Amino acid sequence: MWEKVKSFASDFFVTGDPLIYGADVSIVLAIIAVVFVLTYFKKWGWLWREWLTSVDHKKIGIMYILSAFLMLFRGGVDALLMRAQLVVPELDFLAPDHYNQIFTTHGVIMILFMAMPFMFGLFNVMVPLQIGARDVAYPFLNALSFWLFFSGAMLFNLSFVIGGSPDAGWLAYPPYSGLMHNPGVGQDFYIWGIQISGIGSLMTGINFIVTILKMRAPGMKLMKMPMFPWSVLSSCIAIIFSFPILTATLALLFLDRYAGAHFFTLDGGGNPMMYINLIWMWGHPEVYIIVLPAFGIFSEIVSTFAKKKLFGYKSMVYAMMIISILSFLVWAHHFFTMGSGADVNAFFALTTMLIAIPTGVKVFNWLFTMFRGKITFETPMLWTIGFIPCFVTGGLTGVLLSVAPADFQFHNSYFLVAHFHHVIIGGVVFGYFAGLYYWWPKLFGFKLNERIGKWAFWFWNIGFYLCFMPQYVLGLMGMTRRVATYSWDKGWWEMNLVSTVGAGLMGVAFLFQVWQIVHGIKHRRSNLDTTGDPWKGRTLEWSIPSPAPLYNFATLPQVSEQDAWWEEKLRKERGQASHAPVKLEPIHMPKNSGIPIIMSAFWFLTGFGFVFHWLWLTIPGLAGVAVCMLVHSFNYKTDYYIPVNEIERTEAAIRRVKS
């Protein structure tokens, strides 16, 4: 009996690596610390009522952002481990199999479990405020979306210590991801972690399309919306068309592995190239899904800190929608070298070049907005200015990669790695950092320390260029990606050493950001935002207190022009603002619900059961999901009204804080 237990444990838990044992200890200690703090301060009930069951879009957004920072730490540690392995030739810091697992998990975590939740967090906290709404269209669905994402992320990350991590690359190409070459459970963790979180992502896309189209403030026509909601709309349109492709693709891969199908098995009549086409039909729109909202953020920040109306508003809107559509016509540039033929390569080379035009339009619009503006250089604006040269470099190298004959040289080299990180870090991560700094006072009611923020900015930027510029050279010198080591005679070690130093500086920058947040919380009373408008903003979120009350707006704003709050402030300065008494009415709000977190827990059990082929766990998990859906469908007490006297008390308390 004891021998069976030992045999099961040795297969079930990942053993034999000191790094894994360290992770085990840190996970256990973190869980003990969280449980102790919640128990000691008697916060379990508060946690359940205020956060775990909340359907408030602002709290859901904060939970998305906290999850993104957690995943940024995990993915960043993976990156540092890879750079440590490659710092000098012939190093044995990581075994080859472990290295494969780390670069696989790094890519998945950073794109799907860091960038996506960071994006969704900013969607949640700002879109309703910017369009003058009190919530999203489907609050329950919004909470369910978050908990499905979180369950999928936790299931994927569990593979690090249980069963073994996936190791077939972040897009899991067959035959590497097939059962013959990958018989462990790591690839099944990959499939079900992404599947469960992907369902939540699709729900979020639907939710925000409906929110933007149907819940704008009275008078706010589409062409009077702020630019960030436009960027969210274009991103969500791409989500609802691309994520079903990912769901279907991973379902087919799972059937290959679980049921003995041969959709992607060449010997069985399938074709692995079909998988590669399908995964990139999702994969390239995904790049634009995460970068389009960053474009919207930069548009808001440039206009605010240049103190000018955004240059070329209509051209920006058209550019975003064109990018959203064209993103579905460029996927084959990821495999020019795979023998599709000259005609196919030429078509996708042209569409890839074409999509650079609307992207370039946006850069010029930001520059013209700044031209002759009264620019101030607070932290959000620094991140915006830092983004422009970084993203332009990524865009130019992307155009080089779009030239099919040249791509035969660049393909699968470190040139591609450098290009990809220039676009994703320089465009996406810098954009979301800018948005977080910009909207932090609105979220939490206090400003962060600017000095520490600028240290973080410079460490991020210097480290970034040190890390990735040498990788362009390494790619041209012939270093291919996915290599776990190399020999001294290659002549690559100097550039790899510089690249690793840069990665370390980015790690230091992240620590500065953590310090900045801790410092801000500690000294929040001396940095309170009592105005609700610390940056002298232009859009509706700055017209309400910081942090925003539960109901957002005591009375829904009336919008008649673009930059509605800026125009209202100008009218007040001219003495033209309306002084008519405001009539308050009861506000309709959704009730909290525990069903989303419970249903996501059943999805977690379902995925875990499928990973280990445990039908005794999968069937109850699916039954639990069905019961949750049934219970919710018969729940008619899903909303309530905030009475007028409570609104008056809240507004009076806000006025006291301001005074």
Side-chain angles (χ1 to χ4, degrees):
M1 179 64 180
W2 178 242
E3 290 301 319
K4 289 183 178 179
V5 172
K6 286 172 62 178
S7 175
F8 170 79
S10 64
D11 292 334
F12 187 70
F13 295 103
V14 179
T15 59
D17 192 315
L19 291 173
I20 303 296
Y21 294 141
D24 292 334
V25 172
S26 63
I27 291 169
V28 171
L29 291 176
I31 292 172
I32 292 172
V34 170
V35 171
F36 172 78
V37 169
L38 291 172
T39 305
Y40 182 80
F41 291 103
K42 299 179 181 178
K43 290 293 185 180
W44 286 104
W46 166 83
L47 182 67
W48 177 258
R49 290 188 305 272
E50 297 295 324
W51 292 94
L52 301 185
T53 61
S54 177
V55 296
D56 179 8
H57 68 95
K58 298 178 289 296
K59 290 183 177 178
I60 290 170
I62 291 169
M63 289 192 289
Y64 267 123
I65 292 169
L66 285 173
S67 302
F69 261 80
L70 181 64
M71 293 296 102
L72 179 60
F73 171 75
R74 164 72 207 276
V77 169
D78 283 346
L80 291 173
L81 290 173
M82 285 190 288
R83 291 313 317 166
Q85 168 63 21
L86 295 172
V87 63
V88 291
E90 299 174 4
L91 209 59
D92 292 326
F93 175 62
L94 295 174
D97 287 345
H98 194 183
Y99 184 88
N100 291 346
Q101 293 172 0
I102 284 175
F103 81 67
T104 298
T105 55
H106 168 74
V108 175
I109 286 169
M110 286 304 207
I111 297 294
L112 290 169
F113 300 135
M114 186 280 291
M116 290 293 284
F118 211 154
M119 175 181 82
F120 289 152
L122 295 172
F123 283 14
N124 269 278
V125 296
M126 278 305 132
V127 168
L129 299 183
Q130 287 203 319
I131 65 173
R134 290 192 171 119
D135 210 319
V136 296
Y138 307 114
F140 177 90
L141 192 69
N142 197 29
L144 181 59
S145 299
F146 168 73
W147 288 112
L148 285 174
F149 147 74
F150 191 77
S151 294
M154 292 301 102
L155 182 64
F156 180 87
N157 278 274
L158 201 60
S159 65
F160 187 48
V161 293
I162 294 178
S165 297
D167 59 2
W170 80 277
L171 289 175
Y173 288 175
Y176 306 120
S177 56
L179 198 59
M180 178 183 293
H181 297 283
N182 212 316
V185 298
Q187 206 55 46
D188 298 306
F189 271 115
Y190 171 98
I191 291 169
W192 282 99
I194 294 176
Q195 284 286 52
I196 293 170
S197 70
I199 295 169
S201 299
L202 184 58
M203 289 177 177
T204 300
I206 295 168
N207 205 346
F208 278 89
I209 288 176
V210 178
T211 299
I212 292 168
L213 294 181
K214 292 294 185 180
M215 296 189 68
R216 300 188 306 280
M220 183 180 281
K221 296 181 180 179
L222 281 173
M223 294 307 285
K224 289 185 172 64
M225 277 201 310
M227 194 53 63
F228 183 59
W230 267 115
S231 70
V232 172
L233 181 62
S234 59
S235 176
C236 288
I237 289 170
I239 285 173
I240 65 170
F241 286 106
S242 66
F243 266 79
I245 301 173
L246 175 67
T247 301
T249 305
L250 293 181
L252 294 175
L253 180 61
F254 182 71
L255 289 173
D256 272 13
R257 293 178 57 84
Y258 190 82
H262 293 289
F263 293 105
F264 309 125
T265 310
L266 205 57
D267 293 345
N271 189 346
M273 274 300 298
M274 182 169 70
Y275 177 95
I276 294 171
N277 272 280
L278 287 170
I279 203 72
W280 280 116
M281 285 179 190
W282 160 80
H284 205 85
E286 168 66 7
V287 173
Y288 291 101
I289 285 168
I290 58 178
V291 82
L292 281 169
F295 292 164
I297 291 167
F298 292 131
S299 300
E300 302 289 350
I301 291 172
V302 165
S303 181
T304 296
F305 291 99
K307 299 175 180 61
K308 284 178 62 182
K309 190 180 286 289
L310 183 68
F311 180 89
Y313 174 91
K314 288 185 179 180
S315 65
M316 293 283 270
V317 171
Y318 297 145
M320 282 183 179
M321 302 311 292
I322 289 168
I323 289 170
S324 183
I325 295 166
L326 285 179
S327 68
F328 288 89
L329 300 175
V330 297
W331 80 86
H333 70 219
H334 289 275
F335 41 92
F336 281 146
T337 60
M338 293 190 183
S340 299
D343 294 341
V344 172
N345 283 0
F347 173 82
F348 284 98
L350 288 172
T351 56
T352 304
M353 296 174 193
L354 190 63
I355 205 170
I357 297 172
T359 307
V361 165
K362 306 176 83 56
V363 174
F364 283 109
N365 283 2
W366 294 320
L367 293 174
F368 284 129
T369 303
M370 287 188 275
F371 181 65
R372 291 185 177 174
K374 298 177 181 178
I375 302 174
T376 55
F377 294 96
E378 285 86 351
T379 312
M381 190 62 178
L382 281 181
W383 284 104
T384 303
I385 292 174
F387 145 81
I388 291 175
C390 189
F391 192 78
V392 167
T393 303
L396 290 173
T397 53
V399 172
L400 287 176
L401 288 164
S402 74
V403 181
D407 186 70
F408 275 69
Q409 171 67 34
F410 302 139
H411 186 75
N412 254 7
S413 74
Y414 260 75
F415 188 96
L416 177 60
V417 175
H419 155 73
F420 184 75
H421 284 84
H422 255 94
V423 172
I424 298 301
I425 295 181
V428 177
V429 179
F430 284 11
Y432 295 165
F433 283 164
L436 183 62
Y437 284 114
Y438 182 56
W439 285 311
W440 183 277
K442 187 56 57 183
L443 273 175
F444 299 106
F446 64 91
K447 291 176 71 173
L448 294 172
N449 183 278
E450 283 285 309
R451 185 167 174 269
I452 303 173
K454 288 174 180 177
W455 275 100
F457 168 81
W458 286 111
F459 267 91
W460 261 108
N461 275 265
I462 294 169
F464 176 83
Y465 285 104
L466 275 178
C467 183
F468 293 108
M469 293 307 287
Q471 292 183 13
Y472 286 114
V473 180
L474 285 167
L476 296 175
M477 292 171 70
M479 184 173 178
T480 57
R481 54 187 178 151
R482 304 190 183 98
V483 294
T485 189
Y486 54 95
S487 57
W488 286 96
D489 61 354
K490 297 290 187 183
W492 299 339
W493 75 269
E494 297 98 333
M495 291 295 175
N496 273 298
L497 176 62
V498 174
S499 183
T500 301
V501 171
L505 290 179
M506 286 192 284
V508 173
F510 179 78
L511 295 178
F512 270 109
Q513 289 177 306
V514 173
W515 175 28
Q516 185 184 18
I517 292 170
V518 172
H519 179 277
I521 294 170
K522 183 178 178 181
H523 298 281
R524 63 188 181 279
R525 294 190 183 278
S526 58
N527 294 301
L528 287 177
D529 171 27
T530 57
T531 66
D533 188 13
W535 308 120
K536 305 295 184 284
R538 308 178 71 87
T539 44
L540 289 176
E541 74 269 29
W542 305 113
S543 68
I544 59 176
S546 301
L550 175 64
Y551 48 77
N552 295 346
F553 299 90
T555 57
L556 290 179
Q558 301 288 322
V559 176
S560 58
E561 60 262 302
Q562 186 189 339
D563 290 347
W565 175 234
W566 184 262
E567 297 297 334
E568 177 67 18
K569 288 188 289 187
L570 291 179
R571 282 193 292 270
K572 286 181 180 178
E573 289 178 6
R574 295 191 296 261
Q576 298 172 348
S578 172
H579 298 288
V582 175
K583 183 183 177 182
L584 297 177
E585 295 178 350
I587 296 175
H588 178 255
M589 297 296 292
K591 282 185 176 179
N592 286 358
S593 175
I595 293 177
I597 187 173
I598 295 170
M599 190 191 297
S600 68
F602 280 118
W603 270 111
F604 180 92
L605 295 177
T606 300
F608 198 82
F610 271 125
V611 166
F612 285 97
H613 296 209
W614 291 346
L615 291 179
W616 58 267
L617 187 60
T618 301
I619 293 172
L622 290 172
V625 171
V627 169
C628 286
M629 295 171 70
L630 193 65
V631 169
H632 180 64
S633 67
F634 285 98
N635 179 19
Y636 300 107
K637 298 178 180 179
T638 59
D639 51 8
Y640 70 102
Y641 282 87
I642 301 176
V644 170
N645 59 357
E646 186 176 333
I647 301 169
E648 289 174 340
R649 285 197 302 270
T650 303
E651 293 296 307
I654 290 167
R655 285 193 292 272
R656 283 197 299 273
V657 170
K658 284 188 175 184
S659 64

